[in-house]
Amino acid sequence: IFGPLDRLSPVILKDEWGPVAFLPMPYSEPARVRVMMNKLGMEEAEKVKTYEEAEKILSSRMLSLLPDEGEGMRKIALAHVYAAGGMSSESERPLSIGGYDQIPDEVFAPYDYTALGHLHRPQKTKRDSEKIQYSGSLMRYSFDEVRQKKGIIVGTIDGEGNVSTTFREMLPLHQVREIQGSFADIMAKEGSEDYLQIVLTDSEPVIDAMPKLREKYPNALGVEQDMGYKDDDGERRIRLESMSDEDIFRAFVSHFREQELAEEEEKLSQEVWEEVYRKENAK
């Protein structure tokens, strides 16, 4: 764990081929890098405006702290950034808007390997390269991540600085996952202590669903009901002026639910329309 930017320093370990330098680059807004530069008496701090410029300064600073033999030393960057080419999830705190914060791979060219942090999905910034990777978060932090594998990257580096990596999946005691089905079917399943998003597919509303579901799924975090309605595409293919109120209602249901009114629904809707007309005629 590394603290204030002006107190960072490389960590140097050794293997059978010699020293390997790990260079920390914590998440750093341009303003914080400017503060670091002023504290350290570095020139042209006022010119650092973008995340890319800030990361280049931070990298240059770390490389300058290597001992004299550092030129031929194998180097691994530890960087908390939003790297260009990375895919985010809904649980990550956005760093900025519009790609202004994205760091290109070229910033990490001086390193044999770059271990990235910030994005929760394990991924490479370039499909055909193992040199720059996110290991991702160890756990799922939102239901947007339920289909992501979680784990660690185990890497080896040889004497020439060539790196090979393997992703090892880790399974937590309680998973974060989504289950879907009718209320009756879900309640008939074996209970679970996983952290669940439950999607009910019943065609009729389920009253007090969550308290009932938590009797069997104590760690249920959310419940929603998918009654088959689709989003409005904005297109209108009907002529309202030539249709009765009842026909408009039937067309509305058919469009959004993609099925006609059931017999009981038709009966109930007729009762409602009769009540509406009765009140209108009474005015």
Side-chain angles (χ1 to χ4, degrees):
I1 298 175
F2 297 93
L5 299 185
D6 58 314
R7 292 166 54 188
L8 297 178
S9 60
V11 173
I12 299 176
L13 304 178
K14 290 185 177 181
D15 63 12
E16 58 189 294
W17 292 291
V20 180
F22 294 81
L23 297 98
M25 288 177 272
Y27 166 62
S28 307
E29 297 168 338
R32 292 189 178 187
V33 172
R34 291 196 295 270
V35 170
M36 176 200 77
M37 295 175 71
N38 287 326
K39 280 187 176 182
L40 297 173
M42 299 172 67
E43 297 179 353
E44 299 185 328
E46 70 284 353
K47 293 185 178 181
V48 178
K49 304 293 185 183
T50 68
Y51 281 84
E52 180 180 350
E53 291 167 347
E55 199 68 13
K56 285 180 177 178
I57 290 293
L58 201 56
S59 173
S60 176
R61 166 67 179 169
M62 288 299 96
L63 292 170
S64 73
L65 294 177
L66 291 174
D68 293 339
E69 67 270 23
E71 184 175 342
M73 189 182 297
R74 291 164 293 163
K75 297 179 282 293
I76 295 176
L78 311 174
H80 185 157
V81 297
Y82 184 6
M87 295 177 63
S88 61
S89 306
E90 66 181 21
S91 51
E92 287 123 12
R93 182 173 70 89
L95 302 183
S96 70
I97 297 173
Y100 164 73
D101 56 341
Q102 293 192 11
I103 309 298
D105 285 356
E106 289 72 23
V107 172
F108 305 110
Y111 303 95
D112 298 291
Y113 182 77
T114 299
L116 296 174
H118 179 59
L119 300 185
H120 292 189
R121 183 194 308 270
Q123 58 192 293
K124 303 171 184 177
T125 60
K126 290 184 177 179
R127 183 175 299 179
D128 58 350
S129 174
E130 292 186 89
K131 288 193 64 173
I132 306 175
Q133 295 188 66
Y134 286 97
S135 61
S137 59
L138 292 177
M139 299 181 68
R140 297 177 173 94
Y141 289 102
S142 73
F143 292 109
D144 183 47
E145 299 180 23
V146 296
R147 293 175 180 83
Q148 295 179 14
K149 290 184 177 181
K150 298 297 183 180
I152 59 174
I153 292 175
V154 178
T156 60
I157 184 169
D158 66 16
E160 301 299 319
N162 300 308
V163 172
S164 61
T165 61
T166 302
F167 180 82
R168 294 188 181 175
E169 187 174 4
M170 301 178 69
L171 300 177
L173 180 62
H174 302 310
Q175 285 281 18
V176 175
R177 59 190 180 94
E178 181 182 285
I179 59 175
Q180 189 171 152
S182 69
F183 179 78
D185 287 345
I186 289 175
M187 290 298 289
K189 295 179 184 290
E190 184 178 351
S192 170
E193 293 188 4
D194 286 352
Y195 301 104
L196 301 175
Q197 171 74 2
I198 299 174
V199 181
L200 301 177
T201 57
D202 301 77
S203 59
E204 298 180 2
V206 179
I207 307 303
D208 294 329
M210 181 60 92
K212 297 172 183 175
L213 288 164
R214 277 190 171 153
E215 293 176 6
K216 199 151 197 176
Y217 305 98
N219 292 328
L221 298 179
V223 61
E224 61 182 58
Q225 190 162 357
D226 181 1
M227 299 177 70
Y229 300 131
K230 67 177 184 179
D231 293 333
D232 184 15
D233 58 11
E235 295 186 27
R236 299 292 181 266
R237 305 179 186 88
I238 58 176
R239 298 182 63 83
L240 298 180
E241 64 275 9
S242 62
M243 301 171 66
S244 66
D245 294 335
E246 294 93 329
D247 288 339
I248 292 172
F249 178 68
R250 291 190 190 99
F252 175 86
V253 172
S254 176
H255 177 75
F256 283 98
R257 202 170 63 176
E258 296 186 323
Q259 66 182 50
E260 304 300 326
L261 288 171
E263 183 178 344
E264 182 66 20
E265 292 172 329
E266 182 72 46
K267 180 181 177 182
L268 288 172
S269 69
Q270 285 301 318
E271 291 176 1
V272 171
W273 286 119
E274 289 172 6
E275 180 67 18
V276 170
Y277 295 148
R278 188 161 46 249
K279 289 181 178 179
E280 286 187 348
N281 294 332
K283 290 179 180 179

